[in-house]
Amino acid sequence: MRQVSSWDQALLQAALIDSFRKLDPRTMVRNPVMFVVLVGSALTTLLWVRELLLTAAPAAGFSGHVTLWLWFTVLFANFAEALAEGRGKAQAAALRGLRQETQARRLVDGREQRVSASTLRKGDLVVAEAGDVIPGDGEVVEGIASVDESAVTGESAPVIRESGGDRSAVTGGTRVLSDRIVIRIGANPGESFLDRMIGLVEGASRQKTPNEIALSVLLAGMTIVFLVACVTLVPFGRYSGVALSTTVVVALLVCLIPTTIGALLSAIGIAGMDRLIRHNVVPTSGRAVEAAGDVDTILLDKTGTITLGSRMASAFVPAPGVTAEQLADAAQLASLADETPEGRSIVVLAKERHGLRGRDLAGIDAQFVPFSAQTRMSGCDIGTRVVRKGAAEAVFRHVSALGGRVPPEVEQQAAQIAMSGGTPLAVSDGARVLGVVHLKDVVKGGLRERFARLRAMGLRTVMITGDNPLTAAAIAAEAGVDDFLAEATPEMKLALIRAEQARGKLVAMTGDGTNDAPALAQADVAIAMNTGTAAAKEAGNMVDLDSNPTKLLEVIEVGKQLLMTRGCLTTFSIANDVAKYFAILPALFVAVYPEIAPLDVMGLHSAQSAILSAVIFNALVIVALIPLALRGVEYRPLGAEALLRRALLVYGLGGLVTPFVGIKLIDLALVQLGLA
Amino acid sequence: MTVLGWIQALVFFAVIMALTPPLGGFLQRVMEGERHVLLRPLGFLERLVLRLAGVDPAEQSWPRYATALLGFSGLSLLVTFVMQRVQHLLPLNPQSLGAVEALSAFDTAVSFTTNTNWQGYAGETTMSYLTQMAGLAWQNFVSAAAGLAVAMALARGLTRPASGAGPATIGNFWLDLTRATVYVLLPISLVVALAFASRGVIQNFSPSLQLTTLEGETQVLAMGPAASQEAIKQLGTNGGGFFNANAAHPFENPDPLTNLLSMLLIFAIPAALTFTFGRMAKSPRQGWALFAAMSVLFFAGLTVAYGAEAHDHPLARVAGAAPGAGHLEGKETRFGVAGSALYAVVTTDASCGAVNAMHDSFSPLGGLALLANIQLGEVIFGGVGAGLYGMLVMVVLAVFIAGLMVGRTPEYLGKKIEARDVKLAMLYTLVVPLAILVPAAWSAVAPHGLASLNNAGPHGLGEILYAYTSAAGNNGSAFAGLDANTPWYNLTLALAMLAGRFLMIVPVLALAGSFAAKKAAPPGPGTLPTDGALFVVLLLGVIVIVGALTFFPVLSLGPIVEHFLVGAGQVF
């Protein structure tokens, strides 16, 4: 997807305008903390105006400044939210461009009809040919075509879409590059994938996630406590002969309630969703993103996720009396015309290990013999020379039939390779067995490190494979997964998920096939590949547009980051209060009780500048933390205890100390500017 | 501060620590219905009570449990009220004391039902022996047992695996109440009452004695069954004194040994419950973590209070008092500064409220420490049961914040903390600030509030604040400079006590039900350990910040400014 920078000029401008638009009390009331600030600002404004109108010689500088900064506090909070939304909106605008009025060729009783794409209903059949834009989400029911999906996925290489099987799903807004397909539309207008995605990135369909709700409750509760503490301070003050003005009490209240996290809470949520979409993963709900942070167990399909998907030649094991080079030469000859990945990997290995270049089959007058299910061999005939390679037993039978003898060493080696999880491929020249080629699954690079990272995060990885337990164990050991499920059937996969969940674990998995759908539906976090079937996409709660199964790891990190950012800013926000007390309380009481002066540990200029400095600090800290809220705090794969220690040190202790410094500096600045 | 003073405190604390595992283990076996030493000798009593009451001992869901508790408390409140109103018609009234005035009787009934034992009256001149023994002492037992029951209900909710079928249950209130009384409170009180009597605490039914003093004056010496009251008053963290002078009275607390025994009784069950909880969680470290958090706060409070009291009062020095004696005003010389400060800290930590010195006479900072002990939510060991469940609510909040910081949906003992749980925990935490600050602020400006004050300035504010703090915290001790036996104070303090007890118990039971229904996930490397030093630090941070941020503004107008004023030579 197209990336949009958050510091884009136009974006900033739009967010600025939106921050005023968001002052509407009907929207503000959804955020209790900021709503209290809004009401407080309105109240001080009224008082300030009254002071200007009714006082003979208004000395309204102080209440004017306080009022101004209270409004800034509200506006900064709105700005943070608007900025987070703005990025999504820019992306949505790009997506919406795809949905412009496309014409669809609807099939009615076998005849084509030109209709507007927006009138298509679920179940309609449409035709798309080279150059056409696919009018809606659906499934290919006839034909095969290459499709350019770059508009949705950002991936420029075309993909193949064909009827039946696991590559039948197409997305509206993508373009057919070749051939002709018939599509059955799968979504009514407004419900398509594109619509959902636009809704999500715009934040329009964003619902509060469970942890966000819990945190909002906590913040609302604290706001009530501080409201009571500040309002009751007025009678307590009156008892003590301290007359507290409403402006001052509102200033104290706004400084104490957790405005920092209250202001940034929704921006953090929107930004988290946005980060996921930047990774080209589209969640169907925010709940899934949060659940991703809690995942305990990850199920990974072996093929395509852990291994490259096909077996590769890794060694030539010659028979007694045969050199490795001879074996490589014959194996290469037998594979020259073999277009399968296995065949190609033999040619490449022969070239790498023994410097044997690929030869032109036509030049040496060779006849290619393709693989057949009966012979389970392939190879070539050069004149009378019969070179074959294939499954070990098949080749041994072939050699025996020609009157040759299979050396027991070769049989033994073949058995050994099979034991180690590899596949032995025997090579023969005439009636002579030259040796075996060791084919094995190749584990993708860098996976070991990623799994180690997951383990450090406290996650368990389980590899799912249809292989026998021996092969599975070998690959599991090589890839560094914690456990494996061999000879897996879809039912076993489902049972494994249920067993993990029964033990209270959250399970994540990726899948693409229709047979994955039940497991995807059962898993707590299920990422369907965009190339997968409609059934798989329907069952999952996220879709990976890049169809990269290891993306799961990024998704988990985004989920964790989301929670951590909220937790850290909450701690920071609450810890800030201590310094604000030491700034404001002595200022309030020092006129009546000059003896309380030692409490003013910062040595602030005057009572008014102390209060104003605290209010300004409180507002500015929101702006200062917007980048952090949008970016998310840095996630490190450490144990929970180490993470907590770090967070407490940085955001707890930091939150305690920072405002002492900040408020003092602002106070000094106010004196310099002559405002105090 | 003297070395001897600290040795007193350390010896006391060492004994508490030594008592915690055996008593905690015993409590777990009793409350969970397992075999224990007293089952054979006292089992008949449990069966008899249950059969007479005719209650169904089946497991209860949280609404049923709460209904049973509220119904029981309401009824016993009523009985205690009626008994005071008709005591002149009942036996065991050798002084022929009249009926207790209605609002005072209501206040007292509420006070004893809520385990507060705030006393707006003087015991020896108001309550007949029957009222003391059958009304008030009854409440001393059952209010403590009810608190213990609630703590067990929450502990069960947190530690039990989800039951699966049917609504989640948290125990049976009637069983909990009976077992706590029959196997724990009664036997210990019996033994301790004898020990108290052996040290000189009186136990008789004779009317007050008229004596002629050496100067030839006539003195009235109050008599009565004090020793039996005294044991349960401390053990149940009740604190309601038989005599007005409470544990400062030589007939209630004659010597340092009874003083030590009293303090041990106050902390015994609250401290042991942490171990009980660890046992139930099948991880003793979880219990010790709570114990550690409580201990740190205990020693912090003690250091401030003892430190402040050990200082000579600046004006006493001016007046020519011997230097180095410490702040002795309002303290019994047989306990001294150290013994008085320790007792005051213990009684305010544990929501007991028995006093062996005048808290009103403490120095401003010493008084501040006592106020803060209660305002932190009575979680520093706290009342019987109330301390544990209060601390566990704080743990829920701490775990929630910590869980977010490490990027996982927070879980405690494997159970997820969700929006509903945070809501209940916040409801719980809201009660204390509301019940203290709102009526205290009203009293600080209304004439009917100010009329009761004997001291002006910040100290007067401290007295009002202490009264509502003590009531809402269900503590019961007082800054006695305030005449609280007025309609306004009797009524509002009673409301604060009711809020501080039942408005907090209901969310706790709801929380217990919510957790009981949750599946427990086994801990992994990604889960935050809640039994380590780091978590204890975080927990302390949450307790202190939540408490301090709420009360710091008003405290700065009360004891804090008073401290500075006294330093400048001004007293109130």
Side-chain angles (χ1 to χ4, degrees), chain A residues 211 239 294 503 563-564 581 641, chain B residues 404 408-409 457 522 529 549:
Chain A
N211 277 315
Y239 169 93
D294 295 342
R503 288 169 49 216
L563 293 191
M564 287 170 63
Y581 268 138
E641 182 130 18
Chain B
L404 289 185
R408 258 183 91 86
T409 293
L549 292 183

Side-chain angles (χ1 to χ4, degrees), chain B residues 436-499:
Chain B
I436 294 175
L437 290 178
V438 174
W442 187 286
S443 303
V445 283
H448 45 261
L450 293 171
S452 292
L453 275 185
N454 292 326
N455 300 79
H459 194 74
L461 188 65
E463 286 170 353
I464 295 177
L465 191 63
Y466 197 104
Y468 288 104
T469 301
S470 173
N474 289 162
N475 183 281
S477 62
F479 261 12
L482 183 80
D483 171 23
N485 200 3
T486 67
W488 163 254
Y489 281 105
N490 272 330
L491 193 69
T492 50
L493 286 170
L495 291 178
M497 287 186 267
L498 285 172

Side-chain angles (χ1 to χ4, degrees), chain B residues 424-445:
Chain B
L424 291 168
M426 281 318 284
L427 273 179
Y428 179 94
T429 17
L430 279 178
V431 173
V432 168
L434 282 173
I436 294 175
L437 290 178
V438 174
W442 187 286
S443 303
V445 283

Side-chain angles (χ1 to χ4, degrees), chain A residues 211 214 217-218 225 228 235-236 239 293-294 296 458 501 503-504 560 563-564 567 571 574 581 585 589 593 595 640-641 644 648, chain B residues 404-409 422 430 434 441 444-445 457 460-461 521-522 525-526 528-529 534 538 545 549-550 552 556 561 565:
Chain A
N211 277 315
V217 170
L218 182 84
V225 170
V228 173
F236 285 132
Y239 169 93
D294 295 342
D296 304 281
Q501 286 172 338
R503 288 169 49 216
K560 285 194 176 290
L563 293 191
M564 287 170 63
T571 307
I574 298 170
Y581 268 138
L585 288 181
F589 306 140
Y593 295 122
E595 293 85 354
E641 182 130 18
L644 182 63
L648 277 181
Chain B
L404 289 185
M405 279 197 281
V406 302
R408 258 183 91 86
T409 293
V422 174
L430 279 178
L434 282 173
V445 283
L461 188 65
L528 178 80
L534 188 67
L538 179 78
I545 287 209
L549 292 183
T550 312
F552 191 63
S556 61
V561 78
L565 292 174

